[in-house]
Amino acid sequence: MKLPFAEPYKIKMVETIRKSTKVQRQNWIEQAKFNLFNLRSEQVYIDLLTDSGTGAMSDLQWSAMMTGDESYAGASSYYNLKNAIKEITGFDYFLPTHQGRAAENVLFSVLVKEGDIVPGNSHFDTTKGHIEFRKARAIDCTIDQASDTSVFHPFKGNCDIDKLGKVLRSHPVDKISCIILTVTNNSSGGQPVSMGNIRETSVLAAKYGVKLIIDSARFAENAWFIQQREKGYSGKSIREIALEMFSYADGMTMSSKKDAIVNMGGFIGFRDEELFRKAAPFNIMFEGYLTYGGMSGRDMNALAQGLYEGTEAEYLGSRVGQVAYLGTRLKEYEIPVLEPFGGHAIFIDALKFFPQISREEFPAQTLAVEIYLEGGIRSVEIGTLLADRDPSTRQNRYPALELVRLTIPRRVFTNNHMDYTAAAIRNVFERRNDIHKGLKILKEVPIMRHFTVELERV
Ligand SMILES: *Cc1c(COP(=O)(O)O)cnc(C)c1O
């Protein structure tokens, strides 16, 4: 019998989480204006809002924090991180930032100007936010299969090379800021991008003289899927695969709160010194001096260690395996979930779950609220609320998919928590036909409204 992937760690410290009653949750969600971001964490039993910054650090990461060097310039922690980044990504130059969006802000200050376009596979919401804030446009060239939840495609995060080619051909080169490949493709369901696709994208980028940037938050999970699914990679290590992925890019932005398993941190990696030199002053203005940016020395130490731990096959097997475990439970209960399962989350297709609720009434947000009421589980809407309004027409944008994301923090929950979650969602599924109405907006802001939106029941 083939031995399964088990967690390559044991638990040394635990944190208490508490259940609540349905009556309490009814009150809390009303006070939160039906926005799960407004809940206090004590009002949540199992928090699957995000896998960002919610991972459990290891004993080695905690001990690395104790030896952090807090010198303003030239700290040893900076060099520890520099070495780790070079070893894991191959990039010679880097700038530390406080998180991924800060990396975007600094890099886009150099690359993106008004009237530009930024093609790629589905851009993450903060990425799109930073692009649109600069009056430029993100163009989504993800393959069409990504928007069909029942099609099996091993690399549903891929960029459609024909679509990308058309975009590149039909715009002057000086209007194209860069191409951004997001690995794994978060907005299309944590779906991986194949090595072949990264390579083809880089060939196209080079042909048009456009830079290729990898949005790398989940690069290690992406490498895991390449190892598992792509021909020619089963014998390669995760680190070899990651190095090859990055070898096709001119730079990377990193939210270290994901695959580097720290609670805060990010960086930009650069292939050539010139772009690094141009970005450096923006890092100093927005983040901090070049050798700490947005991070303390101790944080850089923990991040350096996290980059190594996050790229171990045994860990990735148990992590991605836990996500698939939850997906399999939900499938057994016939709940419509996105397949193949993503690397960091399971996505429920709310249009199939609640076909009776119109899209104007935010079916995915309605489902997220019901799941909270049922079991005290916090998930997140990836649908019309998140998609925001069109910047020019101010109409709601209806994305192809209306999803609820159950995001699994790294090294935090056990499979018993997954069983509990699946049971709660099954209970909602069994009473789905009693729910006819969704939600409507009371208050919203013009950009990234989902974080602060206030809603009420229709
Ligand atoms: C989280 C994330 C970001 C932004 O990073 P933060 O650390 O949250 O600022 C950018 N891109 C992707 C794909 C992400 O998942």
Side-chain angles (χ1 to χ4, degrees):
M1 183 174 184
K2 189 168 176 257
L3 295 179
F5 281 101
E7 290 75 7
Y9 52 83
K10 55 185 179 176
I11 297 165
K12 193 182 304 237
M13 192 196 279
V14 296
E15 178 182 345
T16 300
I17 49 175
R18 287 184 208 287
K19 289 189 185 177
S20 50
T21 66
K22 276 195 186 172
V23 174
Q24 285 177 313
R25 294 195 288 275
Q26 283 283 3
N27 287 330
W28 292 335
I29 197 70
E30 273 168 35
Q31 285 159 12
K33 303 286 182 200
F34 298 92
N35 181 344
L36 297 148
F37 285 99
N38 288 337
L39 290 172
R40 300 172 63 120
S41 64
E42 307 95 271
Q43 298 167 339
V44 174
Y45 176 48
I46 298 179
D47 204 344
L48 306 182
L49 180 74
T50 178
D51 64 329
S52 179
T54 53
M57 291 213 299
S58 68
D59 52 351
L60 289 182
Q61 285 179 292
W62 281 109
S63 56
M65 291 196 78
M66 293 305 291
T67 54
D69 176 355
E70 306 303 342
S71 304
Y72 191 96
S76 63
S77 304
Y78 166 81
Y79 289 101
N80 289 343
L81 180 55
K82 186 174 168 61
N83 291 340
I85 290 173
K86 171 70 184 168
E87 199 174 328
I88 302 285
T89 72
F91 289 117
D92 282 319
Y93 303 93
F94 93 102
L95 290 169
T97 64
H98 78 276
Q99 59 184 92
R101 67 199 67 187
E104 291 165 355
N105 188 31
V106 169
L107 183 64
F108 294 175
S109 295
V110 181
L111 292 180
V112 182
K113 57 190 188 312
E114 186 171 341
D116 276 5
I117 58 152
V118 187
N121 55 356
S122 329
H123 305 66
F124 183 67
D125 54 352
T126 60
T127 316
K128 193 147 94 199
H130 276 296
I131 292 168
E132 291 178 353
F133 177 74
R134 290 175 170 80
K135 299 193 162 50
R137 206 153 46 90
I139 300 183
D140 185 354
C141 301
T142 308
I143 56 170
D144 290 335
Q145 289 96 319
S147 51
D148 187 335
T149 57
S150 52
V151 169
F152 185 92
H153 185 297
F155 293 100
K156 255 183 171 173
N158 278 357
C159 184
D160 185 321
I161 298 297
D162 290 336
K163 282 190 208 170
L164 179 65
K166 263 188 212 135
V167 170
L168 295 176
R169 268 197 305 282
S170 56
H171 291 82
V173 167
D174 65 331
K175 290 279 176 211
I176 307 170
S177 311
C178 59
I179 298 168
I180 296 180
L181 266 187
T182 305
V183 304
T184 57
N185 188 334
N186 190 348
S187 311
S188 87
Q191 298 293 324
V193 178
S194 71
M195 191 72 86
N197 193 252
I198 300 174
R199 197 182 304 119
E200 282 181 72
T201 306
S202 78
V203 168
L204 210 52
K207 181 174 159 196
Y208 287 89
V210 176
K211 286 201 182 338
L212 173 60
I213 304 296
I214 299 188
D215 180 351
S216 315
R218 297 182 186 79
F219 75 95
E221 288 164 12
N222 199 82
W224 165 260
F225 284 117
I226 288 174
Q227 189 194 57
Q228 298 298 304
R229 296 181 185 169
E230 193 160 351
K231 203 165 163 268
Y233 289 92
S234 63
K236 298 214 159 140
S237 74
I238 298 296
R239 297 213 184 122
E240 285 169 329
I241 294 170
L243 271 178
E244 184 180 339
M245 284 164 49
F246 289 120
S247 74
Y248 300 117
D250 298 290
M252 67 182 285
T253 53
M254 178 70 185
S255 168
S256 307
K257 303 169 70 172
K258 323 288 175 42
D259 273 1
I261 331 180
V262 289
N263 303 116
M264 191 51 75
F267 60 89
I268 314 167
F270 303 88
R271 171 104 24 237
D272 66 277
E273 191 175 354
E274 193 197 334
L275 188 56
F276 164 77
R277 293 260 166 244
K278 283 185 186 157
F282 292 103
N283 213 68
I284 296 173
M285 273 197 297
F286 297 147
E287 291 294 299
Y289 179 65
L290 303 179
T291 62
Y292 70 86
M295 278 185 279
S296 332
R298 54 180 171 270
D299 289 340
M300 290 191 284
N301 263 8
L303 168 51
Q305 174 64 21
L307 282 170
Y308 292 112
E309 293 178 13
T311 47
E312 281 172 17
E314 193 68 29
Y315 153 72
L316 285 163
S318 72
R319 160 141 196 74
V320 177
Q322 182 172 57
V323 175
Y325 178 87
L326 174 61
T328 306
R329 289 287 84 76
L330 293 173
K331 245 189 101 169
E332 283 165 6
Y333 300 151
E334 294 176 9
I335 291 153
V337 288
L338 193 84
E339 286 189 86
F341 304 137
H344 67 294
I346 293 298
F347 295 75
I348 304 175
D349 185 335
L351 294 177
K352 288 189 182 153
F353 197 106
F354 279 148
Q356 70 274 29
I357 298 178
S358 80
R359 298 203 69 180
E360 291 74 33
E361 296 181 7
F362 309 107
Q365 182 69 13
T366 306
L367 178 55
V369 166
E370 289 301 328
I371 293 170
Y372 172 69
L373 289 172
E374 183 65 35
I377 298 152
R378 175 155 64 175
S379 56
V380 68
E381 188 246 30
I382 308 284
T384 306
L385 275 182
L386 178 72
D388 249 314
R389 291 176 190 275
D390 185 283
S392 37
T393 67
R394 300 309 302 157
Q395 294 300 307
N396 271 325
R397 278 194 283 220
Y398 292 104
L401 294 177
E402 194 73 48
L403 303 170
V404 168
R405 187 181 75 188
L406 303 156
T407 338
I408 315 299
R410 294 168 182 78
R411 308 193 289 206
V412 170
F413 291 117
T414 68
N415 284 359
N416 285 332
H417 293 112
M418 301 300 112
D419 287 335
Y420 174 97
T421 301
I425 296 170
R426 180 187 184 159
N427 289 349
V428 178
F429 194 58
E430 279 173 356
R431 59 180 173 77
R432 68 190 180 282
N433 294 326
D434 304 335
I435 299 163
H436 302 285
K437 296 233 174 278
L439 298 161
K440 67 169 190 252
I441 292 180
L442 285 173
K443 261 194 206 156
E444 67 181 301
V445 293
I447 207 163
M448 290 190 253
R449 63 179 177 182
H450 58 288
F451 288 121
T452 54
V453 68
E454 297 188 358
L455 301 146
E456 66 177 359
R457 285 196 196 277
V458 172

